[in-house]
Amino acid sequence: MQQLSARQVGAIRKPGRYRVSENLSVKAQKVGEKLYCKYLLRYQVDGKTVERSLGSTTKITLKQAREKAQALMASMVAGEGVPAEQLQKAKQEKKASSRRATNAAMTFADVADEFISRVKMPGWKSPLKSSQTWKNRLSTHAYGVIGSKVLADISKADIQQILSPIWLEKHETAMRVRMYIEEVFEYAIDCDYVNVANPANSRIQRLLPKYTGTVQHQAALHHAQAPVLYRQLQERNNESARALQMVMMTAQRQIDVRSARWSDFDGDVWHAPIAKLSSKQTEYRLEIPLPAQLRELITAKKTALFNYSDMPRYVFSNGPDQYISEAAMRKELSLHGFEDHEGRAITMHGFRTTFKDWCRVTNAEDDEVSEIQLSHASRSQVRSAYARDKLLPRRAELMQRYADFLAA
């Protein structure tokens, strides 16, 4: 580019960039029908090229622009920096410092909620259901230890404390909880919320007992005691007790009962999405027959909600769009104090074993019928391909007999 004189600067009529000196130039830019010209100083700050306007050619002379440019460049050589850049850098640093201070005060529970809503939920097939699963597991197993702690204060010892009680007895759950915590920490580190090593990475397993893979069956209620517990639950007036009764009468997994939606019910059939057999791409549904006792329970709940302006999404709800937690149901079950033959407290999953044993002992139906009711997928792909009928009438008869047994 040619170097210009003051007269030539005043004679610029076309858009473009015109060189005045080594770092100084005139930029002509057309806006509408008018041509605007300004002096630009070009220099580098921390290795980055920066352009700064010194003023319009109509407001300062070429001589003033040269003097201003020389003064600014001299201050940079002297190490003083350009005042505007210094101010901008100070503002940015102050803002970043304030943000770091705010983020440093966030608890693990705060960051987990943010991570679930911003990152996980948009990619989930069932955002509300999956987010509640995450929150329930973290609430049940992790928040008591680290929920109210700021991230920088959470140590490997805390993670060890969370995982140790469930590492052998509920290994799959423990692995999921560890991965949940690890993902939350990775998110916090990537967002510059904290600058620490992730305490929940896979190396934490070295501080825990070696898992041998031995399967430990869930503690189950003996079928002879099932009617006693059922009657005790009948006398309780809360959501957890009713949900436990539904688990018993349908022999379904607790997560499927807890997340049952009003829209899934059609007369005497529950079109249940089975979480265990569903994937992100497909949803597996099983028609679950409702015995008379369960239809009465469902009808009573729906009648009680008749005057509500907004019908809750879930049958066993904890608010308009939230179902009851696993912890609430486990707490209700523990209040009744039932144990299996080894003296272990019974579990909700064990009710499926209770049902299966009752079928076997009473010779109630073919094994295949009870297996379908338990939503057990056949290991044989060929068998699954041909055995498509879910035998609903036979299962309806079987489950009514079982409900009559429970309610006797």
Side-chain angles (χ1 to χ4, degrees), residues 71-118:
L72 289 172
M73 294 303 297
S75 68
M76 289 186 64
V77 173
E80 298 172 7
V82 180
E85 280 66 41
Q86 283 185 330
L87 181 61
Q88 182 67 16
K89 191 172 182 180
K91 285 182 178 178
Q92 290 176 347
E93 180 58 35
K94 184 177 180 180
K95 187 176 180 180
S97 178
S98 176
R99 186 173 63 250
R100 284 194 297 269
T102 301
N103 293 335
M106 293 178 70
T107 66
F108 178 84
D110 293 333
V111 179
D113 285 343
E114 181 181 304
F115 172 62
I116 291 169
S117 61
R118 288 187 180 179

Side-chain angles (χ1 to χ4, degrees), residues 111-223:
V111 179
D113 285 343
E114 181 181 304
F115 172 62
I116 291 169
S117 61
R118 288 187 180 179
V119 179
K120 303 299 290 186
M121 288 185 70
W124 277 329
K125 178 185 66 177
S126 303
L128 291 176
K129 185 175 180 179
S130 297
S131 65
Q132 191 168 357
T133 298
W134 265 64
K135 291 176 182 179
N136 286 344
R137 281 191 175 135
L138 289 173
S139 177
T140 300
H141 302 291
Y143 283 174
V145 179
I146 63 174
S148 60
K149 282 191 172 184
V150 296
L151 297 174
D153 292 342
I154 297 174
S155 65
K156 288 183 178 180
D158 293 323
I159 310 303
Q160 185 181 14
Q161 182 182 345
I162 291 168
L163 299 178
S164 292
I166 56 174
W167 187 250
L168 297 179
E169 293 186 3
K170 298 180 179 179
H171 187 69
E172 183 177 350
T173 298
M175 289 292 289
R176 288 181 183 274
V177 171
R178 184 200 68 77
M179 288 189 289
Y180 290 177
I181 299 173
E182 181 183 30
E183 284 194 57
V184 172
F185 258 94
E186 288 299 320
Y187 169 77
I189 292 169
D190 290 341
C191 290
D192 294 326
Y193 289 177
V194 67
N195 185 23
V196 297
N198 194 327
N201 62 35
S202 59
R203 291 175 62 88
I204 194 67
Q205 298 179 53
R206 299 183 182 185
L207 302 178
L208 298 164
K210 184 177 180 180
Y211 179 67
T212 61
T214 303
V215 176
Q216 186 172 11
H217 297 294
Q218 299 274 8
L221 179 68
H222 192 279
H223 62 86

